[in-house]
Amino acid sequence: QTGNSILHLAVLSNDESIVEGLLRHAGSAGTQLLTLANARGETPLHLAVSRPAALTAIARSPLALHEAVRVPNGQIVAAMVKV
């Protein structure tokens, strides 16, 4: 069992419209989904660093950068700032 949430799966697809639509539909719960870790300890934010379309969609989400700062990984914040 991977423990991947629906947002993990959307990010893995690297489809900007899917990720953006899911976050928009999730509303304020979307920020919680951004930091939910799977069985390997990876959040959707971790996975998005190597998936530019997904990262772009996440960067547009309200409070996404705030959530990225809370995750102890400077690479995530650096990637989001570049978007």
Side-chain angles (χ1 to χ4, degrees), residues 8 21-22 25 36 56-58 78 82:
H8 284 90
L22 179 60
H25 181 72
L36 183 65
T56 298
I58 288 173
K82 289 180 185 178

Side-chain angles (χ1 to χ4, degrees), residues 7 19-20 22-24 26-32 34 45 54-67 80:
L7 186 56
V19 175
E20 190 170 0
L22 179 60
L23 287 172
R24 186 175 41 249
S28 61
T31 56
Q32 293 173 339
L34 288 170
L45 290 169
L55 184 64
T56 298
I58 288 173
R60 288 189 195 125
S61 175
L63 299 177
L65 185 56
H66 172 76
E67 292 302 320
M80 287 188 70

Side-chain angles (χ1 to χ4, degrees), residues 1-81:
Q1 187 173 3
T2 64
N4 285 338
S5 70
I6 192 166
L7 186 56
H8 284 90
L9 298 175
V11 168
L12 288 170
S13 77
N14 197 33
D15 185 315
E16 187 173 339
S17 63
I18 292 173
V19 175
E20 190 170 0
L22 179 60
L23 287 172
R24 186 175 41 249
H25 181 72
S28 61
T31 56
Q32 293 173 339
L33 288 174
L34 288 170
T35 56
L36 183 65
N38 64 14
R40 294 175 52 170
E42 300 165 322
T43 69
L45 290 169
H46 289 104
L47 299 175
V49 169
S50 61
R51 292 163 181 85
L55 184 64
T56 298
I58 288 173
R60 288 189 195 125
S61 175
L63 299 177
L65 185 56
H66 172 76
E67 292 302 320
V69 169
R70 292 175 5 117
V71 175
N73 185 326
Q75 184 181 12
I76 296 170
V77 174
M80 287 188 70
V81 170

